[in-house]
Amino acid sequence: MIKPDKLYELYLQTSQKFDYFMTGLSIAVFAYSVQSLDLSEYSSYLFLAPIAWIFLLISVIAGIVRIELSVTLNKSDAVIETMQMVKSKIDSNTVEKQKMDDLNKEITDLKEKQGEYIKYALWAYRINQIALLAGISLLGFLKVLNISK
């Protein structure tokens, strides 16, 4: 049976790889569509291509922001864990009572920041997915509209 710590570690690694994959996919679709789209062959609905490219760029930026937030969250997890280990070594009955209070406040502040980072990461994920699908859909729609003419 897999231990919960190991399972969480596997989840984090898989999540990071998926974020990298989706961001890479956004970059690849954007680059390929800009490079291969011959605007001279399209007679109508030409305005859809730049709109699709904007959506794909938004998807790339949101993916990069999500990756950055994931790294920041992992770093703050390590800092909180270290602070809690230091806190457990401080003797609360001695003069170091002030250090204990300071550490408790810092840990609380970091956990609040983590909550904000998680919200931002969730929004970045949603924006990444929606913008990628919108960009690919618009490019496909442009192709279909011009095939029928």
Side-chain angles (χ1 to χ4, degrees):
M1 179 156 175
I2 300 175
K3 294 182 180 180
D5 291 341
K6 183 66 175 169
L7 190 60
Y8 182 69
E9 180 78 25
L10 289 172
Y11 163 75
L12 283 178
Q13 289 175 357
T14 304
S15 177
Q16 273 186 327
K17 288 177 183 177
F18 185 71
D19 287 342
Y20 292 138
F21 171 75
M22 292 307 293
T23 303
L25 180 65
S26 299
I27 292 168
V29 170
F30 173 73
Y32 180 74
S33 69
V34 169
Q35 177 189 14
S36 67
L37 191 65
D38 184 15
L39 298 178
S40 64
E41 72 182 50
Y42 295 104
S43 59
S44 58
Y45 306 105
L46 194 58
F47 65 92
L48 290 178
I51 295 171
W53 294 337
I54 290 170
F55 275 117
L56 291 171
L57 276 176
I58 290 170
S59 176
V60 168
I61 291 167
I64 291 170
V65 167
R66 179 159 166 83
I67 290 169
E68 180 184 354
L69 288 170
S70 296
V71 169
T72 303
L73 281 168
N74 289 340
K75 180 181 172 186
S76 65
D77 278 343
V79 169
I80 288 173
E81 188 174 318
T82 303
M83 290 174 112
Q84 287 175 338
M85 287 185 345
V86 168
K87 181 181 150 184
S88 68
K89 292 181 181 180
I90 294 176
D91 185 10
S92 60
N93 297 326
T94 63
V95 179
E96 297 175 337
K97 180 76 170 155
Q98 182 64 34
K99 287 183 183 178
M100 180 77 87
D101 293 340
D102 291 343
L103 276 175
N104 284 333
K105 183 173 177 6
E106 285 184 50
I107 290 171
T108 304
D109 290 345
L110 276 174
K111 286 184 178 180
E112 287 175 6
K113 285 182 184 177
Q114 273 188 325
E116 291 176 22
Y117 291 151
I118 289 170
K119 280 191 247 179
Y120 295 144
L122 182 60
W123 274 105
Y125 177 74
R126 288 179 181 159
I127 290 169
N128 177 274
Q129 302 304 312
I130 292 169
L132 178 63
L133 288 175
I136 291 173
S137 298
L138 282 174
L139 288 172
F141 195 57
L142 175 65
K143 208 59 152 164
V144 168
L145 287 174
N146 283 292
I147 287 175
S148 63
K149 292 234 170 192

